[in-house]
Amino acid sequence: MAKPLPYHTIHEIFTRFREAEAEPKGELHHVNAYTLVVAVALSAQATDAGVNKATRRLFEIADTPQKMLDLGLDAVTEHVKTIGLYRNKAKNVIKLSQILVDEYGGEVPSSRAALQSLPGVGRKTANVVLNMWWGMPAQAVDTHIFRVGNRTRIAPGKDVDAVERAVEDNIPAEFQLHAHHWLILHGRYICVARKPKCGACLIRDLCVFEDKTPDPLPKKGKI
Protein backbone atom coordinates (compact mmCIF):
# COMPACT_ATOMS: atom_id res chain seq x y z
CA MET A 1 0.00 0.00 0.00
CA ALA A 2 1.24 3.47 -0.93
CA LYS A 3 2.53 5.70 1.81
CA PRO A 4 0.42 8.72 2.76
CA LEU A 5 1.47 12.24 1.90
CA PRO A 6 3.73 14.06 4.37
CA TYR A 7 1.98 15.78 7.27
CA HIS A 8 2.80 19.29 6.05
CA THR A 9 1.29 18.55 2.62
CA ILE A 10 -1.94 17.17 4.11
CA HIS A 11 -2.13 20.21 6.38
CA GLU A 12 -1.80 22.51 3.38
CA ILE A 13 -4.49 20.59 1.46
CA PHE A 14 -7.04 20.95 4.24
CA THR A 15 -6.06 24.55 4.86
CA ARG A 16 -7.06 25.22 1.26
CA PHE A 17 -10.31 23.27 1.64
CA ARG A 18 -11.15 25.29 4.75
CA GLU A 19 -10.33 28.59 3.05
CA ALA A 20 -12.59 27.65 0.13
CA GLU A 21 -15.49 26.52 2.36
CA ALA A 22 -15.11 26.83 6.10
CA GLU A 23 -18.35 25.04 7.05
CA PRO A 24 -19.08 22.32 4.47
CA LYS A 25 -22.53 20.76 4.80
CA GLY A 26 -23.98 17.41 3.86
CA GLU A 27 -26.47 17.52 1.03
CA LEU A 28 -29.13 15.13 2.37
CA HIS A 29 -32.33 16.89 3.38
CA HIS A 30 -33.34 16.30 7.00
CA VAL A 31 -35.14 18.17 9.77
CA ASN A 32 -33.94 16.29 12.85
CA ALA A 33 -31.75 13.38 13.93
CA TYR A 34 -34.41 10.81 13.03
CA THR A 35 -34.95 12.02 9.49
CA LEU A 36 -31.17 12.16 9.05
CA VAL A 37 -30.89 8.49 10.01
CA VAL A 38 -33.67 7.60 7.56
CA ALA A 39 -32.20 9.73 4.76
CA VAL A 40 -28.71 8.27 5.11
CA ALA A 41 -30.08 4.72 5.28
CA LEU A 42 -32.04 5.38 2.09
CA SER A 43 -28.99 6.85 0.35
CA ALA A 44 -27.13 3.54 0.00
CA GLN A 45 -26.56 2.95 -3.72
CA ALA A 46 -28.56 6.10 -4.48
CA THR A 47 -27.78 9.77 -5.04
CA ASP A 48 -28.46 12.44 -2.44
CA ALA A 49 -30.56 14.31 -4.98
CA GLY A 50 -32.70 11.25 -5.61
CA VAL A 51 -33.21 10.65 -1.90
CA ASN A 52 -34.08 14.31 -1.29
CA LYS A 53 -36.72 14.19 -4.00
CA ALA A 54 -38.31 11.09 -2.46
CA THR A 55 -38.18 12.21 1.17
CA ARG A 56 -39.22 15.84 0.92
CA ARG A 57 -42.92 15.03 1.15
CA LEU A 58 -42.36 12.00 3.39
CA PHE A 59 -40.61 14.04 6.06
CA GLU A 60 -43.35 16.65 6.01
CA ILE A 61 -45.82 14.07 7.27
CA ALA A 62 -43.56 11.63 9.14
CA ASP A 63 -40.65 13.28 10.95
CA THR A 64 -40.68 11.02 14.02
CA PRO A 65 -40.50 7.23 14.43
CA GLN A 66 -44.09 7.03 15.67
CA LYS A 67 -45.43 9.09 12.77
CA MET A 68 -43.57 6.80 10.37
CA LEU A 69 -45.12 3.75 12.02
CA ASP A 70 -48.55 5.37 11.84
CA LEU A 71 -47.98 5.99 8.14
CA GLY A 72 -47.34 2.29 7.60
CA LEU A 73 -45.19 0.19 5.32
CA ASP A 74 -47.30 0.52 2.17
CA ALA A 75 -47.33 4.31 2.30
CA VAL A 76 -43.61 4.53 3.09
CA THR A 77 -42.88 2.18 0.18
CA GLU A 78 -44.91 4.38 -2.13
CA HIS A 79 -42.98 7.49 -1.06
CA VAL A 80 -39.54 5.95 -1.65
CA LYS A 81 -40.30 3.87 -4.75
CA THR A 82 -38.05 6.02 -6.95
CA ILE A 83 -34.99 4.99 -4.88
CA GLY A 84 -33.00 1.87 -5.66
CA LEU A 85 -33.80 -1.17 -3.49
CA TYR A 86 -36.80 0.75 -2.21
CA ARG A 87 -38.85 -2.20 -0.95
CA ASN A 88 -36.16 -3.46 1.39
CA LYS A 89 -35.26 0.07 2.45
CA ALA A 90 -38.89 0.85 3.30
CA LYS A 91 -39.04 -2.28 5.46
CA ASN A 92 -35.87 -1.20 7.26
CA VAL A 93 -37.31 2.27 7.90
CA ILE A 94 -40.33 0.72 9.57
CA LYS A 95 -38.21 -1.75 11.55
CA LEU A 96 -35.74 0.88 12.79
CA SER A 97 -38.62 3.18 13.69
CA GLN A 98 -40.20 0.44 15.79
CA ILE A 99 -36.91 -0.20 17.59
CA LEU A 100 -36.45 3.52 18.29
CA VAL A 101 -39.95 3.69 19.78
CA ASP A 102 -39.65 0.46 21.78
CA GLU A 103 -36.07 0.74 23.03
CA TYR A 104 -35.08 4.42 22.87
CA GLY A 105 -38.27 6.30 23.64
CA GLY A 106 -38.49 7.55 20.08
CA GLU A 107 -35.09 9.27 20.29
CA VAL A 108 -32.03 8.65 18.14
CA PRO A 109 -29.10 7.35 20.24
CA SER A 110 -25.72 9.07 20.07
CA SER A 111 -23.76 5.82 20.26
CA ARG A 112 -22.19 4.23 17.17
CA ALA A 113 -22.93 0.73 18.48
CA ALA A 114 -26.56 1.60 19.16
CA LEU A 115 -26.97 3.20 15.75
CA GLN A 116 -25.42 0.21 14.01
CA SER A 117 -27.88 -2.09 15.76
CA LEU A 118 -30.70 -0.49 13.75
CA PRO A 119 -31.83 -2.30 10.56
CA GLY A 120 -30.25 -0.78 7.45
CA VAL A 121 -27.74 1.28 9.44
CA GLY A 122 -24.10 0.35 8.91
CA ARG A 123 -20.93 1.98 10.14
CA LYS A 124 -20.94 4.61 7.39
CA THR A 125 -24.52 5.65 8.18
CA ALA A 126 -23.77 5.76 11.89
CA ASN A 127 -20.69 7.91 11.31
CA VAL A 128 -22.66 10.36 9.16
CA VAL A 129 -25.24 10.80 11.92
CA LEU A 130 -22.60 11.13 14.65
CA ASN A 131 -20.79 13.76 12.61
CA MET A 132 -23.66 15.78 11.17
CA TRP A 133 -26.03 15.71 14.13
CA TRP A 134 -23.89 15.16 17.20
CA GLY A 135 -20.82 17.05 16.00
CA MET A 136 -18.40 14.18 16.51
CA PRO A 137 -15.30 13.82 14.28
CA ALA A 138 -16.54 10.51 12.86
CA GLN A 139 -15.40 9.69 9.33
CA ALA A 140 -18.00 8.23 6.98
CA VAL A 141 -16.07 6.70 4.08
CA ASP A 142 -18.06 6.37 0.86
CA THR A 143 -16.91 5.75 -2.72
CA HIS A 144 -15.88 9.41 -3.10
CA ILE A 145 -13.65 9.44 -0.03
CA PHE A 146 -12.21 6.05 -0.93
CA ARG A 147 -11.29 7.35 -4.39
CA VAL A 148 -9.91 10.71 -3.26
CA GLY A 149 -8.05 9.21 -0.31
CA ASN A 150 -6.23 6.76 -2.55
CA ARG A 151 -5.71 9.03 -5.57
CA THR A 152 -4.20 11.86 -3.57
CA ARG A 153 -2.62 9.60 -0.92
CA ILE A 154 -4.22 11.70 1.81
CA ALA A 155 -5.67 8.48 3.18
CA PRO A 156 -4.64 5.40 1.20
CA GLY A 157 -6.21 2.06 2.07
CA LYS A 158 -7.27 -1.20 0.46
CA ASP A 159 -10.82 -1.03 1.83
CA VAL A 160 -13.18 1.48 3.47
CA ASP A 161 -12.12 0.51 6.99
CA ALA A 162 -8.46 1.10 6.17
CA VAL A 163 -9.27 4.46 4.58
CA GLU A 164 -11.35 5.45 7.61
CA ARG A 165 -8.40 4.70 9.90
CA ALA A 166 -6.07 6.58 7.55
CA VAL A 167 -8.31 9.65 7.60
CA GLU A 168 -8.31 9.58 11.39
CA ASP A 169 -4.55 9.02 11.57
CA ASN A 170 -3.28 11.31 8.82
CA ILE A 171 -5.50 14.39 8.88
CA PRO A 172 -4.65 16.94 11.59
CA ALA A 173 -7.10 17.18 14.48
CA GLU A 174 -8.13 20.73 13.61
CA PHE A 175 -9.68 19.46 10.36
CA GLN A 176 -11.24 16.22 11.60
CA LEU A 177 -14.78 17.53 12.15
CA HIS A 178 -15.27 18.57 8.54
CA ALA A 179 -12.75 16.27 6.85
CA HIS A 180 -15.23 13.78 5.41
CA HIS A 181 -17.45 16.51 3.97
CA TRP A 182 -14.53 18.25 2.28
CA LEU A 183 -13.41 14.96 0.79
CA ILE A 184 -16.90 13.88 -0.29
CA LEU A 185 -17.65 17.19 -1.98
CA HIS A 186 -14.24 17.23 -3.65
CA GLY A 187 -14.83 13.73 -4.98
CA ARG A 188 -18.40 14.44 -6.04
CA TYR A 189 -17.70 17.62 -7.99
CA ILE A 190 -13.98 17.82 -8.84
CA CYS A 191 -12.12 14.53 -8.38
CA VAL A 192 -14.81 12.53 -10.14
CA ALA A 193 -14.35 8.88 -11.11
CA ARG A 194 -13.96 9.48 -14.84
CA LYS A 195 -12.08 12.45 -16.21
CA PRO A 196 -11.45 14.29 -12.96
CA LYS A 197 -11.61 18.06 -13.31
CA CYS A 198 -7.94 18.59 -12.55
CA GLY A 199 -7.91 22.03 -14.15
CA ALA A 200 -10.38 23.25 -11.53
CA CYS A 201 -8.71 21.47 -8.61
CA LEU A 202 -7.41 23.72 -5.84
CA ILE A 203 -4.93 21.07 -4.67
CA ARG A 204 -3.66 20.01 -8.09
CA ASP A 205 -0.07 21.02 -7.34
CA LEU A 206 -0.10 18.88 -4.18
CA CYS A 207 -1.82 15.83 -5.67
CA VAL A 208 0.33 12.85 -6.66
CA PHE A 209 -2.30 11.26 -8.92
CA GLU A 210 -0.43 10.49 -12.12
CA ASP A 211 -3.29 10.29 -14.63
CA LYS A 212 -4.40 13.88 -14.28
CA THR A 213 -6.88 15.11 -16.85
CA PRO A 214 -5.07 17.59 -19.13
CA ASP A 215 -6.35 21.12 -19.39
CA PRO A 216 -8.53 21.65 -22.47
CA LEU A 217 -6.77 23.23 -25.44
CA PRO A 218 -7.74 26.85 -26.12
CA LYS A 219 -10.19 27.30 -28.95
CA LYS A 220 -8.67 28.56 -32.15
CA GLY A 221 -9.75 31.97 -33.29
CA LYS A 222 -8.61 35.22 -34.73
CA ILE A 223 -5.86 37.02 -32.87
Side-chain angles (χ1 to χ4, degrees), residues 50-108:
V51 172
N52 289 342
K53 184 176 180 180
T55 59
R56 185 163 283 107
R57 175 59 180 157
L58 175 63
F59 291 162
E60 288 177 357
I61 58 178
D63 60 355
T64 69
Q66 188 59 59
K67 289 179 182 179
M68 196 70 75
L69 293 173
D70 293 342
L71 192 59
L73 177 59
D74 289 345
V76 173
T77 302
E78 182 65 22
H79 275 282
V80 302
K81 66 181 181 181
T82 57
I83 301 174
L85 307 175
Y86 71 96
R87 293 187 187 278
N88 190 55
K89 289 179 179 179
K91 291 177 183 178
N92 282 337
V93 168
I94 293 296
K95 289 178 182 177
L96 71 83
S97 299
Q98 190 68 63
I99 291 173
L100 289 175
V101 168
D102 293 344
E103 300 183 16
Y104 298 98
E107 300 295 325
V108 174

Side-chain angles (χ1 to χ4, degrees), residues 30-47:
H30 61 283
V31 296
N32 54 30
Y34 170 69
T35 54
L36 178 59
V37 171
V38 172
V40 181
L42 291 173
S43 71
Q45 300 181 46
T47 65

Side-chain angles (χ1 to χ4, degrees), residues 7-220:
Y7 174 88
H8 65 86
T9 303
I10 294 176
H11 191 282
E12 174 61 23
I13 285 171
F14 282 90
T15 297
R16 293 184 191 182
F17 284 154
R18 183 171 60 189
E19 289 174 349
E21 187 170 7
E23 298 285 337
K25 304 295 183 184
E27 297 182 326
L28 281 173
H29 169 69
H30 61 283
V31 296
N32 54 30
Y34 170 69
T35 54
L36 178 59
V37 171
V38 172
V40 181
L42 291 173
S43 71
Q45 300 181 46
T47 65
D48 287 1
V51 172
N52 289 342
K53 184 176 180 180
T55 59
R56 185 163 283 107
R57 175 59 180 157
L58 175 63
F59 291 162
E60 288 177 357
I61 58 178
D63 60 355
T64 69
Q66 188 59 59
K67 289 179 182 179
M68 196 70 75
L69 293 173
D70 293 342
L71 192 59
L73 177 59
D74 289 345
V76 173
T77 302
E78 182 65 22
H79 275 282
V80 302
K81 66 181 181 181
T82 57
I83 301 174
L85 307 175
Y86 71 96
R87 293 187 187 278
N88 190 55
K89 289 179 179 179
K91 291 177 183 178
N92 282 337
V93 168
I94 293 296
K95 289 178 182 177
L96 71 83
S97 299
Q98 190 68 63
I99 291 173
L100 289 175
V101 168
D102 293 344
E103 300 183 16
Y104 298 98
E107 300 295 325
V108 174
S110 58
S111 154
R112 181 185 285 114
L115 286 167
Q116 286 188 245
S117 72
L118 300 174
V121 176
R123 186 178 179 88
K124 186 188 82 169
T125 299
N127 282 348
V128 170
V129 175
L130 292 174
N131 182 276
M132 291 181 62
W133 192 259
W134 301 109
M136 299 181 187
Q139 306 302 333
V141 177
D142 67 353
T143 56
H144 298 302
I145 291 183
F146 186 82
R147 180 175 65 254
V148 174
N150 278 290
R151 271 185 181 173
T152 62
R153 296 218 319 262
I154 291 171
K158 64 181 181 179
D159 54 38
V160 293
D161 291 337
V163 171
E164 180 182 330
R165 290 193 297 271
V167 169
E168 293 173 346
D169 291 343
N170 301 340
I171 297 174
E174 64 184 288
F175 303 115
Q176 283 285 326
L177 180 60
H178 297 306
H180 96 273
H181 275 131
W182 280 316
L183 292 172
I184 286 173
L185 295 172
H186 190 65
R188 183 174 292 165
Y189 297 110
I190 301 297
C191 195
V192 295
R194 297 182 179 180
K195 294 185 178 180
K197 302 173 184 177
C198 299
C201 179
L202 55 78
I203 62 168
R204 178 174 180 170
D205 59 312
L206 303 174
C207 175
V208 295
F209 181 55
E210 294 181 356
D211 297 327
K212 289 184 173 69
T213 304
D215 292 336
L217 295 174
K219 295 181 179 180
K220 294 182 179 181

